Amino acid sequence: GCHRSSDPRDDLDVERAGMTSHGAKMASFLRARLPLRNLDAPYCVELLLVSSVASFLSIRAFLAATNYPQLGGQNAHIAHLLWGGLFMLVALLLCFNYHGRPTRRFCAFLGGLAFGAFIDEIGKYVTKTNNYFWKGSIAVIYIVFITIHFFLLWLRSSLGGVTSLNQEEALANALDLLKTNTGGQLDNEVTRTQILELLEHADPEEPLTNMLKTYVAIQAQKPASRSVPGVYLSLRQWMQKKYSKLVLHKWFSPLLVTMFVMQMITQVITIVLFFLGKQGTICHVIRCVSQETPWVDGAQLTFAAISAILVLCGVWSIRKDRKRGYNFFLWSVRVQVYGTQVFFFFTSQLAALYGLFFNLALGVAVSICIEAEEDIERLQNFGEEEQPVVDGYARVPSDPEMGTSQSSSEGPWRPYDKKYANLFSQIKF
């Protein structure tokens, strides 16, 4: 007969093995039925968001400049929402008919233009009177854009790079890049590197993986061409470079702190004047809203108070720890952008754009300063005496959390100034 072990640990091991096998089967079942993630998705969503905002603002500016004309004659009105629907249809048809990243990105851009035209008329469809100028329309549109932005942030965190993909997704993304570059014979070195990196994370036992590696290796023997980014990417990189140089200048940090302090003082004065009941011109200038919407007043004042407290914490902390102080400033900006600005758009409509642009500029500047402080910390940990500096440029060691080497022979070359320890880096969007 069969002999059963009397040791309960053997039964436990068998049970655990069964659970492990069941879990692996369940994971395999889910992977087989869930859509494969696209590594290019964050770029497409960003392009859609930027083009949507540009479309919405352009339409509003054009209508205001032309005194809100109507297309269609006396008995009809062709709303621009219909043009948005038409552009959405064109974007879908293009996406259905053509392969490759360039087509997908163009469809994201076109879809963004269409979505901006569509959502601009939201006031007509949430009010009984079909009021295009409904007071809350701008705030609702802003909330929609913020929601898309949060979705973009989630995409970037979940798709942090090739290492975040499973084997099936890595192979699928490599095939997607090959589809885009088949006509170009993979003559771009950056594209080759991306494809090989994806194939390294694909299933090595999959025959297609080895076939693609061989194909890319054959193509790599041909002369490589220079990578030319698209119009949007080129413009974004140019703006990043110029703004980074401005922000990391030696005089900008004191100016940045001064701007935050002035903003804090303005918020404190706003709160004091509101509770004193001063509703005159001064209070209007500093955005003390009317008594017609007390719940909006309360929300604005609450967010203003939180933002002022964060700025105060930042000013106190920056004397000892610059990075900690900058992080407090960054959270203050987030409170303004994600909280206060919603109610500013409700009370001030498009006039609140000035405050939004100012806060966004502050937020990007603080993000650059935080990244520069992180670069300085990495240089200090690496050892300045070992850090190679050639013609004013230094190799910044890569972050070990990103899974890259700490060797001084790797990492991007960035302008390096020993006197001010300025490290010009890229903006993290």
Side-chain angles (χ1 to χ4, degrees):
C2 296
H3 174 71
R4 181 178 179 86
S5 173
S6 60
D7 191 347
R9 290 177 295 181
D10 294 341
D11 296 336
L12 183 60
D13 291 340
V14 172
E15 184 179 355
R16 286 177 176 174
M19 293 176 62
T20 303
S21 176
H22 179 72
K25 291 179 180 179
M26 181 60 69
S28 177
F29 175 82
L30 292 175
R31 281 199 302 267
R33 283 156 179 79
L34 288 177
L36 299 177
R37 294 176 298 170
N38 180 15
L39 204 57
D40 195 43
Y43 184 88
C44 291
V45 175
E46 178 187 328
L47 195 57
L48 182 141
L49 177 60
V50 171
S51 58
S52 297
V53 174
S55 173
F56 162 70
L57 293 178
S58 300
I59 290 173
R60 287 278 173 160
F62 173 78
L63 293 178
T66 56
N67 197 23
Y68 299 92
Q70 292 188 357
L71 183 64
Q74 297 180 351
N75 300 323
H77 171 56
I78 303 177
H80 49 268
L81 175 142
L82 300 177
W83 294 106
L86 177 62
F87 286 151
M88 286 185 186
L89 176 62
V90 173
L92 288 173
L93 292 177
L94 289 174
C95 197
F96 294 155
N97 280 276
Y98 299 99
H99 287 287
R101 285 189 174 185
T103 301
R104 185 166 55 242
R105 292 177 175 183
F106 178 75
C107 291
F109 169 74
L110 191 60
L113 295 180
F115 184 73
F118 160 77
I119 202 171
D120 178 59
E121 299 212 70
I122 193 172
K124 290 184 178 181
Y125 301 99
V126 296
T127 58
K128 294 181 179 180
T129 57
N130 295 331
N131 184 11
Y132 176 77
F133 300 99
W134 175 54
K135 189 176 183 179
S137 60
I138 306 298
V140 172
I141 293 170
Y142 182 66
I143 292 174
V144 171
F145 287 149
I146 285 180
T147 304
I148 299 175
H149 174 65
F150 282 142
F151 176 71
L152 174 60
L153 294 178
W154 174 79
L155 269 182
R156 285 178 171 167
S157 63
S158 61
L159 287 173
V162 176
T163 55
S164 64
L165 303 176
N166 58 40
Q167 292 180 336
E168 293 84 358
E169 291 170 338
L171 182 58
N173 279 272
L175 287 170
D176 182 57
L177 276 173
L178 282 168
K179 285 192 303 182
T180 302
N181 294 275
T182 300
Q185 299 297 317
L186 285 179
D187 59 348
N188 184 276
E189 187 175 357
V190 175
T191 304
R192 294 175 189 167
T193 304
Q194 291 176 346
I195 295 175
L196 288 175
E197 188 178 2
L198 287 165
L199 292 176
E200 287 297 325
H201 287 80
D203 187 2
E205 297 181 0
E206 172 65 41
L208 184 57
T209 301
N210 297 322
M211 292 173 59
L212 293 178
K213 287 182 178 179
T214 303
Y215 173 74
V216 175
I218 294 174
Q219 296 297 322
Q221 298 175 2
K222 300 180 180 180
S225 64
R226 182 176 178 270
S227 177
V228 180
V231 176
Y232 170 72
L233 191 58
S234 299
L235 179 61
R236 194 183 75 168
Q237 290 175 348
W238 179 82
M239 293 177 62
Q240 289 174 358
K241 183 178 179 180
K242 296 298 182 182
Y243 197 53
S244 296
K245 288 184 177 181
L246 173 66
V247 169
L248 293 174
H249 199 276
K250 60 181 180 180
W251 53 261
F252 192 88
S253 181
L255 178 62
L256 184 65
V257 176
T258 303
M259 287 189 289
F260 273 105
V261 171
M262 292 177 63
Q263 188 182 54
M264 179 188 66
I265 294 174
T266 302
Q267 291 165 342
V268 172
I269 294 176
T270 301
I271 296 172
V272 171
L273 289 180
F274 180 83
F275 284 106
L276 290 178
K278 303 295 184 179
Q279 299 295 326
T281 305
I282 298 178
C283 193
H284 176 73
V285 170
I286 57 177
R287 295 176 175 173
C288 189
V289 298
S290 66
Q291 295 289 346
E292 298 177 0
T293 52
W295 64 275
V296 175
D297 295 349
Q300 283 183 301
L301 294 173
T302 300
F303 283 117
I306 295 173
S307 178
I309 293 173
L310 289 170
V311 171
L312 185 61
C313 293
V315 173
W316 179 265
S317 301
I318 202 170
R319 299 178 302 170
K320 298 181 179 179
D321 188 342
R322 293 168 60 88
K323 181 181 174 181
R324 180 179 175 85
Y326 286 140
N327 276 303
F328 275 117
F329 290 155
L330 183 60
W331 276 105
S332 173
V333 172
R334 288 172 177 170
V335 169
Q336 290 282 338
V337 172
Y338 299 137
T340 313
Q341 283 294 148
V342 174
F343 302 98
F344 280 166
F345 278 114
F346 183 82
T347 57
S348 304
Q349 301 291 291
L350 289 176
L353 281 174
Y354 298 109
L356 176 62
F357 291 151
F358 176 74
N359 283 310
L360 289 178
L362 285 181
V364 173
V366 173
S367 298
I368 296 173
C369 292
I370 292 174
E371 186 178 355
E373 293 297 323
E374 292 174 349
D375 285 343
I376 292 173
E377 290 178 358
R378 286 197 289 270
L379 280 175
Q380 290 174 345
N381 294 333
F382 186 81
E384 187 174 348
E385 66 280 356
E386 301 176 16
Q387 183 64 31
V389 179
V390 179
D391 295 331
Y393 284 76
R395 279 202 186 277
V396 178
S398 303
D399 194 336
E401 295 181 0
M402 302 299 293
T404 51
S405 173
Q406 282 284 326
S407 171
S408 63
S409 61
E410 299 182 9
W413 286 99
R414 295 179 180 171
Y416 176 68
D417 187 339
K418 283 189 176 182
K419 184 175 181 180
Y420 302 109
N422 288 334
L423 302 171
F424 301 116
S425 54
Q426 297 296 322
I427 303 172
K428 291 181 178 178
F429 284 96

